[in-house]
Amino acid sequence: HGVPGAMVSVVCNNAMNRSVREFEITRPGEVLDKTKELVLEQFEKNAANPSTERDETIKDGMDISICKVDTKNKSILWSGANNPLWIIRNEELIEIKGNKQPVGKFDPSSNFTTHEVKVESDDIFYIFSDGYADQFGGEKGKKLKSANFKKLLLSIQNENMQKQKELIDEAFETWKGNLEQLDDVCLIGVRI
């Protein structure tokens, strides 16, 4: 986090934009594969830079969820680096896990998987960073955790998306209380 995290985010963002715009890749797993390749090239260039005090490999990366909505086939193409996709369908939360690796340096490294999920009317899907579940708060100052985040989303599933946003924000602020926010919080929810 902080300055190193911001620098990695910039490098990863630039690489992802190149993957889509320059290389015209649109399948989520392939976008992450190309992004990882470009990020590693950039890290190697930086490590070999004579202005650095020592030759050092950057061992950092980015966790991400990326999806493409295919309206023609009524499906979502999705890939994740350490992050899942959650779908709420018929009062149930379905979790599709991402690859257990970041976009960046990781051993053993493998290609990212593109999952194709058929969507049904009234499905809600969520992609998000880990900042919400990792926030400290509550009476004991502990992390919220994924289980409680899931319960929250299930409890508000019948609300429209604007109301969900308000309830999610309110729940976060209540949980956090007077404690400092430690991480970025990004949540995207879409109702089909």
Side-chain angles (χ1 to χ4, degrees), residues 7-25 30-43 62 64 66 103-104:
M7 295 302 291
V8 169
S9 294
V10 168
V11 169
C12 290
N13 183 58
N14 290 340
M16 191 170 339
N17 283 330
R18 283 188 64 205
S19 298
V20 174
R21 293 181 179 144
E22 182 179 330
F23 295 96
E24 299 181 351
I25 301 170
E30 293 171 18
V31 170
L32 294 183
D33 290 335
K34 187 64 174 178
T35 300
K36 177 174 63 174
E37 178 187 322
L38 296 170
V39 164
L40 292 176
E41 284 175 12
Q42 186 64 48
F43 285 174
M62 172 178 69
I64 189 170
I66 181 173
V103 174

Side-chain angles (χ1 to χ4, degrees), residues 80-120:
N82 286 323
N83 285 349
L85 167 69
W86 289 351
I87 301 169
I88 295 183
R89 176 182 293 156
N90 301 325
E91 312 276 322
E92 183 182 338
L93 190 143
I94 302 161
E95 179 174 35
I96 300 173
K97 295 186 179 196
N99 293 82
K100 289 200 172 283
Q101 65 181 8
V103 174
K105 184 80 172 160
F106 186 79
D107 288 318
S109 184
S110 61
N111 288 339
F112 286 95
T113 306
T114 296
H115 299 268
E116 183 171 4
V117 181
K118 294 293 182 187
V119 292
E120 299 175 11

Side-chain angles (χ1 to χ4, degrees), residues 8-188:
V8 169
S9 294
V10 168
V11 169
C12 290
N13 183 58
N14 290 340
M16 191 170 339
N17 283 330
R18 283 188 64 205
S19 298
V20 174
R21 293 181 179 144
E22 182 179 330
F23 295 96
E24 299 181 351
I25 301 170
T26 60
R27 278 185 69 79
E30 293 171 18
V31 170
L32 294 183
D33 290 335
K34 187 64 174 178
T35 300
K36 177 174 63 174
E37 178 187 322
L38 296 170
V39 164
L40 292 176
E41 284 175 12
Q42 186 64 48
F43 285 174
E44 287 170 12
K45 283 180 190 173
N46 291 347
N49 185 340
S51 67
T52 58
E53 289 182 26
R54 59 189 169 171
D55 187 35
E56 190 174 281
T57 303
I58 299 171
K59 296 180 179 107
D60 207 344
M62 172 178 69
D63 296 348
I64 189 170
S65 278
I66 181 173
C67 69
K68 176 182 177 182
V69 178
D70 185 344
T71 54
K72 181 180 175 186
N73 294 315
K74 296 184 179 175
S75 66
I76 299 169
L77 297 174
W78 172 83
S79 187
N82 286 323
N83 285 349
L85 167 69
W86 289 351
I87 301 169
I88 295 183
R89 176 182 293 156
N90 301 325
E91 312 276 322
E92 183 182 338
L93 190 143
I94 302 161
E95 179 174 35
I96 300 173
K97 295 186 179 196
N99 293 82
K100 289 200 172 283
Q101 65 181 8
V103 174
K105 184 80 172 160
F106 186 79
D107 288 318
S109 184
S110 61
N111 288 339
F112 286 95
T113 306
T114 296
H115 299 268
E116 183 171 4
V117 181
K118 294 293 182 187
V119 292
E120 299 175 11
S121 186
D122 221 30
D123 279 357
I124 307 170
F125 68 90
Y126 300 95
I127 57 176
F128 45 88
S129 67
D130 61 359
Y132 200 100
D134 285 353
Q135 178 61 45
F136 289 97
E139 291 177 14
K140 298 180 180 178
K142 303 273 184 176
K143 284 186 179 183
L144 178 73
K145 299 202 174 186
S146 291
N148 290 321
F149 191 24
K150 288 177 183 178
K151 286 178 191 174
L152 170 63
L153 295 178
L154 282 165
S155 74
I156 63 173
Q157 67 183 296
N158 294 320
E159 302 291 347
N160 67 48
M161 298 311 283
Q162 180 58 40
K163 183 66 174 174
Q164 282 192 31
K165 178 190 179 310
E166 294 166 12
L167 293 169
I168 290 166
D169 286 346
E170 182 180 304
F172 183 80
E173 291 302 322
T174 299
W175 176 261
K176 182 172 72 76
N178 293 327
L179 296 178
E180 184 178 335
Q181 182 174 329
L182 300 177
D183 203 354
D184 63 289
V185 175
C186 182
L187 168 65
I188 299 171

